[in-house]
Amino acid sequence: EDKVVQSPLSLVVHEGDTVTLNCSYEVTNFRSLLWYKQEKKAPTFLFMLTSSGIEKKSGRLSSILDKKELSSILNITATQTGDSAIYLCAVVGDGLTFGKGTHLIIQP
Amino acid sequence: SQTIHQWPATLVQPVGSPLSLECTVEGTSNPNLYWYRQAAGRGLQLLFYSVGIGQISSEVPQNLSASRPQDRQFILSSKKLLLSDSGFYLCAWDHGQGIGYTFGSGTRLTVV
């Protein structure tokens, strides 16, 4: 059974801090790893990672995949209150498996 | 352009009542479609997926069913809701080619 574990489950930081969110997986027939940001409604797509060691970057957000360690991290630098959300990691194998998410709260 | 519509946004239903949530996709043909449920602290759980008209695969035994009467329409149903059916339901569409998934706006169902 495919498995995705995210940590921490919840995180509270102050505005301007840098955060690192973790995602580890056990998946048969790995194809890609996806990061989503979920605010009040549906998740919105952030990154798709397929190759190990290649950083994907979008503004203050960046992510990298380590296939050897079966993990990925999502970094957010200079956090803002608008970054407060649940960040979901999902892995595409034979199906799509989601982690439980990291609930990130940015305090002003 | 390709879009996914899901409705209603919010639903409050009494126990034992029927349910019908609808999801439609525009701008593509023969999409792979999914129904997920998100319960507090439990992430997204795959309920059903469909690769074509009339083709439904169920991932977990439950009180719900799904149907795909048309290529771009995916319906989640129940004949009699249970309290445990409360949750946030998301329809998703697989772009294929490893591009990722797009989600509908979700339906928050509360069974009382």
Side-chain angles (χ1 to χ4, degrees):
Chain A
E1 183 184 340
D2 294 347
K3 190 176 173 184
V4 177
V5 177
Q6 289 186 248
S7 63
L9 292 178
S10 180
L11 181 61
V12 181
V13 300
H14 288 103
E15 217 170 7
D17 289 349
T18 293
V19 296
T20 298
L21 310 183
N22 299 283
C23 176
S24 61
Y25 60 88
E26 294 174 22
V27 173
T28 307
N29 299 323
F30 175 88
R31 291 170 57 197
S32 61
L33 185 143
L34 311 170
W35 281 100
Y36 287 88
K37 178 182 181 182
Q38 184 178 22
E39 296 174 88
K40 291 182 180 176
K41 292 269 185 174
T44 53
F45 175 77
L46 294 176
F47 298 111
M48 183 179 74
L49 304 161
T50 54
S51 300
S52 208
I54 298 175
E55 186 183 54
K56 291 278 182 95
K57 198 169 171 66
S58 176
R60 295 175 294 102
L61 277 67
S62 63
S63 183
I64 195 162
L65 175 67
D66 186 337
K67 283 187 179 179
K68 188 177 176 184
E69 296 295 325
L70 304 182
S71 66
S72 173
I73 59 170
L74 175 68
N75 272 326
I76 309 175
T77 59
T79 52
Q80 302 170 359
T81 53
D83 295 326
S84 296
I86 296 173
Y87 289 84
L88 292 166
C89 173
V91 177
V92 182
D94 292 330
L96 178 67
T97 304
F98 281 86
K100 292 185 179 180
T102 293
H103 190 185
L104 176 63
I105 297 172
I106 311 297
Q107 290 182 336
Chain B
S1 63
Q2 299 160 332
T3 56
I4 181 167
H5 300 280
Q6 187 181 339
W7 68 93
T10 306
L11 198 56
V12 180
Q13 294 274 113
V15 168
S17 64
L19 173 74
S20 180
L21 303 181
E22 190 157 342
C23 172
T24 60
V25 180
E26 294 179 1
T28 187
S29 58
N30 199 30
N32 292 340
L33 297 174
Y34 304 79
W35 277 111
Y36 285 90
R37 176 169 57 202
Q38 186 175 40
R42 298 185 65 181
L44 281 164
Q45 180 188 36
L46 179 62
L47 302 176
F48 300 97
Y49 69 92
S50 172
V51 298
I53 295 174
Q55 300 178 61
I56 308 294
S57 295
S58 174
E59 287 297 301
V60 293
Q62 58 207 313
N63 183 42
L64 302 167
S65 62
S67 62
R68 186 151 173 193
Q70 300 180 42
D71 181 45
R72 286 172 284 183
Q73 185 184 31
F74 201 23
I75 298 172
L76 183 69
S77 306
S78 173
K79 290 183 180 177
K80 286 186 179 181
L81 283 168
L82 306 171
L83 287 174
S84 58
D85 291 324
S86 294
F88 190 56
Y89 289 84
L90 285 160
C91 178
W93 160 42
D94 177 5
H95 289 251
Q97 301 172 1
I99 295 174
Y101 292 67
T102 296
F103 290 87
S105 52
T107 297
R108 187 160 303 282
L109 172 66
T110 304
V111 182
V112 296

